[in-house]
Amino acid sequence: MSFFIKRLAVVGVGLIGGSFAQALREQDLVGEVIGVARSQRTLDKARELGVIDSGTLDPQQGVAGAQFVLVAPPVCAIVPTVQQFAPALSRGAVVTDAGSVKGSIVAPCEQLMPEGCHFVGSHPIAGRERSGVEAAFPALFQGSRTILTPTERTAPAALERVRVAWEACGSQVEVMAADHHDRVLAATSHLPHLMAYNVVKTLSDLEQDIQAEVFRYAASGFRDFTRIASSDPTMWRDICLENRTAICEVLQRFRGDLDVLLELVSNSDGEALHDVFARSRATRERVLKENKILRTP
Ligand code: NAP
């Protein structure tokens, strides 16, 4: 049988890396999956779950002989990891990553590729609050979007291979420049995550200050709104460090809007408050309608 990818190396076998391997396996597109992790425990678990066929703690050994490599550790570890394994890549290998930030990753990884190997940046806009290989499942990317961030130097055939792989996982692929990706995601994903973390922090501080059981009376709105505050802190620390400029810009903007809201509430300006809420509700309803075929990230 000839596979689309004879040997796939997944460097960072967690939620995203594990789900990618499982999705491609389900489609019979991959012959053999080699996992690379930091701990033997993760490799043992991944093998037990059937996510990988074999595993190693040595990234160079893991990528040797692979035609396709997915790099999926936390964002700050992506470039150092690629640097570590790049000399061992086989000629013709296509390397992609899953990092939630692209600007600080794509150019250095492209530079690190040996002659005849290719790097294409990817970001699957799919996920959940749980992490680790135990949380992986093959349908994770079904109905999601994946953004690819090629550059002028990207070989069209490498871009095509990466596109086919994500589409096989059930994702709709879009292409944009890395910097543009980072500005868009700062607003649509990074800002809401920071807000959710911060709402929980504010309530927790308040509970201590006023010695009241704030959380006991938290309604389902609290649960919905703060669901993403259960996300992995390492992942979100890394995203903030690597997308600092775009996140600061959008936070400043949000702070401006929050100041306006504070003023409207303190001035009891009911008409203006109604106006803000009505406009936001209309925007949300329009966005949900327009994106009805896509799952939220
Ligand atoms: P995860 O479940 O925590 O898996 C991360 C994997 O990377 C684990 O196998 C871990 O190995 C390994 N790892 C952790 N720190 C490392 C380091 N310093 N050096 C090398 N390997 C390391 O994370 P994930 O949710 O799959 O996220 C992986 C990537 O996908 C991140 O870059 C994230 O930005 C991106 N992403 C995540 C989501 C999401 O919602 N989760 C969505 C889109 C993109 P051990 O288990 O051995 O520690």
Side-chain angles (χ1 to χ4, degrees):
M1 183 166 181
S2 110
F3 291 103
F4 172 64
I5 301 167
K6 229 166 120 189
R7 181 182 286 191
L8 166 71
V10 176
V11 184
V13 196
L15 169 68
I16 299 292
S19 300
F20 183 78
Q22 287 178 315
L24 291 184
R25 252 193 211 292
E26 234 184 41
Q27 300 292 317
D28 264 343
L29 288 177
V30 58
E32 185 186 10
V33 181
I34 315 295
V36 181
R38 278 184 314 180
S39 66
Q40 190 57 44
R41 196 207 142 269
T42 295
L43 293 178
D44 293 343
K45 193 80 210 160
R47 224 180 7 235
E48 194 185 307
L49 293 168
V51 172
I52 61 171
D53 296 300
S54 59
T56 172
L57 300 173
D58 175 358
Q60 291 210 359
Q61 197 184 323
V63 304
Q67 292 86 42
F68 197 105
V69 180
L70 174 73
V71 194
V75 167
C76 287
I78 292 177
V79 177
T81 305
V82 173
Q83 186 162 30
Q84 218 180 339
F85 71 63
L89 284 167
S90 299
R91 199 176 166 79
V94 172
V95 181
T96 191
D97 72 309
S100 306
V101 177
K102 300 268 62 90
S104 58
I105 288 174
V106 175
C109 287
E110 206 169 53
Q111 294 278 348
L112 287 164
M113 288 300 104
E115 183 70 26
C117 297
H118 308 275
F119 181 85
V120 182
S122 303
H123 177 201
I125 318 283
R128 60 204 305 215
E129 297 72 64
R130 290 176 55 217
S131 53
V133 70
E134 295 90 339
F137 64 107
L140 176 63
F141 307 109
Q142 286 291 342
S144 68
R145 288 185 207 264
T146 295
I147 299 172
L148 305 187
T149 57
T151 70
E152 298 167 334
R153 293 175 52 190
T154 305
L159 178 62
E160 196 49 29
R161 271 184 91 68
V162 177
R163 175 196 293 277
V164 170
W166 284 114
E167 284 178 351
C169 293
S171 199
Q172 179 180 318
V173 169
E174 314 230 343
V175 169
M176 65 176 74
D179 290 353
H180 185 65
H181 163 278
D182 288 355
R183 286 207 306 277
V184 171
L185 268 292
T188 56
S189 168
H190 307 172
L191 174 68
H193 275 84
L194 295 193
M195 281 168 53
Y197 280 125
N198 215 37
V199 166
V200 178
K201 179 194 179 299
T202 302
L203 295 191
S204 159
D205 292 349
L206 198 64
E207 187 165 63
Q208 292 218 323
D209 291 354
I210 61 176
Q211 297 288 302
E213 302 131 302
V214 172
F215 290 108
R216 178 185 288 191
Y217 304 106
S220 63
F222 169 81
R223 195 188 161 96
D224 291 348
F225 185 76
T226 60
R227 176 181 57 81
I228 51 180
S230 293
S231 302
D232 181 40
T234 304
M235 173 171 149
W236 283 96
R237 176 204 63 193
D238 281 15
I239 289 171
C240 289
L241 295 176
E242 296 284 317
N243 199 21
R244 186 167 55 104
T245 309
I247 291 177
C248 286
E249 263 172 39
V250 76
L251 276 179
Q252 295 279 16
R253 219 181 152 113
F254 184 78
R255 186 156 74 179
D257 287 335
L258 205 56
D259 286 344
V260 170
L261 206 54
L262 178 61
E263 204 173 301
L264 297 182
V265 174
S266 61
N267 291 341
S268 301
D269 190 340
E271 202 180 324
L273 282 168
H274 187 275
D275 203 39
V276 170
F277 300 153
R279 267 187 291 142
S280 291
R281 181 169 75 168
T283 304
R284 182 174 190 274
E285 278 166 11
R286 175 178 58 77
V287 170
L288 290 183
K289 208 165 148 193
E290 282 171 5
N291 291 286
K292 65 177 183 300
I293 47 153
L294 294 169
R295 260 192 356 209
T296 44

